[in-house]
Amino acid sequence: ELGLLGAMDKFGQVATAFAWSYFLMKYPPKVLLVVGLFAKAASCLGFGLLKQKWLMQTCKLTMGVSEALIGVWATVWVQSNAPRDAQARWMGFASISAGAGNGMGSCVAGLCAKRFGYGFAFFFQSFLLFGLWVIMLLSPTQYFNFGEGNENEEAVSATTSRGVSWAVPEDEVMNSLATNGLPRTWTSGSAPELMMHAAIAKSMTFDSTTGRRQSFVEEAKNNSDLSLWQSMKIVLSTPLWLYTALSISLSCFITSSVAFLWQNTTNSVWDFNEVEATFSFLFTTGIGGLLGVALGPKVFDEYLQGFATASGRAKCLRACCYATLGSALLSTMCTILLLTSAWRMFYYEAVLPRGGVLAGMLGGVFLLFALLNSMQGTLYGINTDSATPETKTAAAGLTVSMQNIVGFAFGPLLPSMAAECVQDLITRLYPTEDERGYHGASFASGMALALCVTWLLLFCVHRAAAAARCSKVSTADGLGESFGSIIEGEDVADIVARGGHFPL
């Protein structure tokens, strides 16, 4: 019953995240957010006051429903309003803000629960949320609307070799396509004509994974009023969205499972008390994650020039592959240290000394969380950016649902199940074994399983990078023309702006 009560908010998030994505496209975001934030504040207050079991479960479910709305809106809002040269930084701090809030809430609850009761943390949270609700009521409506994003620029522009700047409105591009069709060759002729054709070719992509051809501009014009089911099918058929969503979810799987098992593992293997386990956890996961969020955007936004363009996405995902490979190697090192420590503890039937093995374990987890959090904002941004404007909220809703199921639900569940299986096996084989020995072995095995998931994360990030490279192949479907593969990691518009020539 206690586990069901704790999971009710996750049920609410998973059940309603995709529905909120549909409503956010139909109704003003501020209206929905005002209702959702009030429901969140009221449910927190009710959870602290009410004692009936079904009422407490209802309050927790309502918390999850409102959190799903806020999560979907925040993801799309940050991505669509972030400056082009700071998207990774904005998305990174947005992704870590929820974790920081959870950490602060856990501290308040842990410090005040014994003195003031469990309800104090919920009363305090309700007070803060009602204050935010009042501020939201008094704020202008446009503050909560989604920005135009990077796809809906008013003009497609380029500079010729002579240094002359031209701009072609999107409507003119579409009219020219309908009237004249695509050119038979790419030449270095007049800049307006070249950029018009470049924009059309850039919008028409061939996915070598599925073999499907589609025009983004055409889809945007013809699907302005998509149904919920149509939006979901479009999003799920996008390989780049799928693999980035899986990468985000697996990253959350690793972090949530390590957080869930940390105290029991350090207590069983190295005899940490509660204070030592808490401070070691804050150092490795908190400070390590904050370091990644602070330094990661400098690489993605400043060195790699962000992911606002197709070439930028390809470069950023290639860098994410290297970061994930480093995470996988660190996880393997920590897994070996954990399992060898558990075996030594089980074999010698004694608590292990705190020496180099523990220092290596703490340092490895510190760097692991730094690398994972350094690319989390970039993955969120590319994931949302991979959808069309009409399906961005649907993509965010599906990502939130997948993140809650794969990351925050299965993260604690699967490693703890593995730990229980190991404990049962040891108990049957060695019934006289000391209790601390099989506890240490079981919790170490569970955390080792969680850390090994980084290799699956590496696979998903690599597939996302491959999907980004596939989107560079352009075609003139249905018009009898076919263009060759563009150089990997480059935009058509960028090449044409430099006077590029693409013969058939």
Side-chain angles (χ1 to χ4, degrees):
E1 292 182 351
L2 186 62
L4 177 63
L5 180 64
M8 286 301 290
D9 57 334
K10 299 302 179 186
F11 292 152
Q13 289 184 27
V14 173
T16 61
F18 191 64
W20 283 127
S21 69
Y22 179 77
F23 292 132
L24 281 168
M25 293 299 292
K26 296 293 182 181
Y27 304 103
K30 182 180 178 180
V31 175
L32 298 176
L33 289 170
V34 166
V35 176
L37 190 58
F38 182 86
K40 168 74 173 176
S43 58
C44 289
L45 181 62
F47 191 86
L49 289 173
L50 301 172
K51 304 301 180 183
Q52 290 86 352
K53 190 183 305 180
W54 69 273
L55 289 175
M56 296 179 72
Q57 290 176 346
T58 303
C59 289
K60 281 283 284 183
L61 184 67
T62 307
M63 290 182 199
V65 171
S66 58
E67 288 169 1
L69 165 64
I70 296 170
V72 173
W73 168 81
T75 301
V76 181
W77 187 91
V78 172
Q79 192 274 338
S80 60
N81 288 279
R84 292 171 64 93
D85 58 348
Q87 285 185 319
R89 183 177 293 107
W90 277 48
M91 297 299 296
F93 281 109
S95 65
I96 204 174
S97 61
N102 286 333
M104 292 170 62
S106 300
C107 290
V108 171
L111 294 173
C112 304
K114 291 184 179 180
R115 178 174 297 184
F116 302 109
Y118 81 93
F120 175 80
F122 291 95
F123 297 148
F124 183 66
Q125 183 181 9
S126 178
F127 172 77
L128 294 178
L129 290 173
F130 274 120
L132 290 175
W133 180 74
V134 172
I135 295 174
M136 182 178 290
L137 280 177
L138 301 176
S139 300
T141 303
Q142 61 266 26
Y143 284 5
F144 306 95
N145 295 335
F146 300 131
E148 291 297 320
N150 296 322
E151 306 84 6
N152 300 330
E153 298 182 33
E154 295 180 356
V156 181
S157 61
T159 303
T160 65
S161 58
R162 299 177 182 178
V164 182
S165 179
W166 301 85
V168 182
E170 186 178 294
D171 289 341
E172 187 176 331
V173 173
M174 294 302 299
N175 293 335
S176 176
L177 173 61
T179 304
N180 304 319
L182 286 174
R184 302 199 63 84
T185 57
W186 288 87
T187 64
S188 55
S190 63
E193 181 184 0
L194 279 174
M195 290 314 302
M196 187 183 302
H197 298 150
I200 295 167
K202 187 178 176 182
S203 72
M204 306 184 72
T205 59
F206 173 81
D207 186 352
S208 64
T209 304
T210 62
R212 296 177 57 189
R213 294 175 174 85
Q214 62 178 4
S215 168
F216 170 78
V217 179
E218 197 171 283
E219 290 279 345
K221 280 189 168 288
N222 296 335
N223 298 309
S224 58
D225 192 20
L226 295 171
S227 67
L228 198 64
W229 177 245
Q230 288 174 322
S231 299
M232 184 173 69
K233 288 197 298 183
I234 292 174
V235 172
L236 292 176
S237 64
T238 307
L240 183 57
W241 175 88
L242 179 62
Y243 287 115
T244 51
L246 284 172
S247 300
I248 293 168
S249 302
L250 290 174
S251 180
C252 293
F253 179 99
I254 297 165
T255 55
S256 63
S257 57
V258 170
F260 183 76
L261 295 172
W262 183 265
Q263 184 167 350
N264 287 325
T265 304
T266 53
N267 175 263
S268 301
V269 179
W270 288 288
D271 198 27
F272 275 30
N273 57 37
E274 291 186 2
V275 175
E276 291 171 332
T278 301
F279 278 102
S280 63
F281 177 76
L282 290 176
F283 169 74
T284 54
T285 64
I287 299 179
L290 186 61
L291 178 67
V293 171
L295 298 182
K298 288 186 174 294
V299 176
F300 293 108
D301 283 334
E302 297 178 12
Y303 179 71
L304 298 177
Q305 301 300 313
F307 47 83
T309 63
S311 60
R313 285 191 291 273
K315 293 176 183 177
C316 288
L317 285 172
R318 195 179 302 118
C320 287
C321 286
Y322 294 132
T324 311
L325 177 60
S327 301
L329 295 176
L330 288 169
S331 297
T332 303
M333 180 194 75
C334 293
T335 299
I336 294 173
L337 293 177
L338 269 174
L339 294 180
T340 54
S341 299
W343 181 84
R344 289 172 57 198
M345 180 184 176
F346 179 79
Y347 184 79
Y348 293 109
E349 298 183 356
V351 177
L352 295 180
R354 302 179 185 179
V357 173
L358 176 59
M361 175 69 186
L362 295 177
V365 175
F366 176 89
L367 294 175
L368 170 65
F369 271 69
L371 288 174
L372 290 178
N373 283 278
S374 68
M375 62 181 182
Q376 194 77 336
T378 300
L379 290 175
Y380 271 108
I382 295 176
N383 176 262
T384 308
D385 198 44
S386 64
T388 63
E390 291 74 22
T391 59
K392 279 193 182 299
T393 56
L398 285 172
T399 302
V400 169
S401 298
M402 187 182 297
Q403 179 181 339
N404 279 295
I405 295 173
V406 177
F408 297 125
F410 287 154
L413 178 63
L414 295 183
S416 61
M417 289 177 61
E420 288 185 7
C421 291
V422 171
Q423 181 174 327
D424 292 340
L425 180 62
I426 294 176
T427 304
R428 292 176 183 176
L429 294 177
Y430 305 95
T432 60
E433 179 63 31
D434 181 66
E435 182 178 352
R436 178 179 292 274
Y438 62 72
H439 276 170
S442 62
F443 287 122
S445 300
M447 186 175 287
L449 172 64
L451 293 173
C452 288
V453 174
T454 50
W455 289 102
L456 182 57
L457 173 63
L458 176 61
F459 170 78
C460 291
V461 174
H462 181 266
R463 293 304 303 163
R469 290 196 297 270
C470 288
S471 66
K472 305 301 180 301
V473 184
S474 299
T475 181
D477 186 32
L479 296 177
E481 306 292 341
S482 179
F483 299 107
S485 298
I486 306 303
I487 299 173
E488 179 181 319
E490 292 200 63
D491 271 333
V492 176
D494 296 338
I495 300 173
V496 175
R498 299 195 299 267
H501 178 75
F502 294 94
L504 291 177

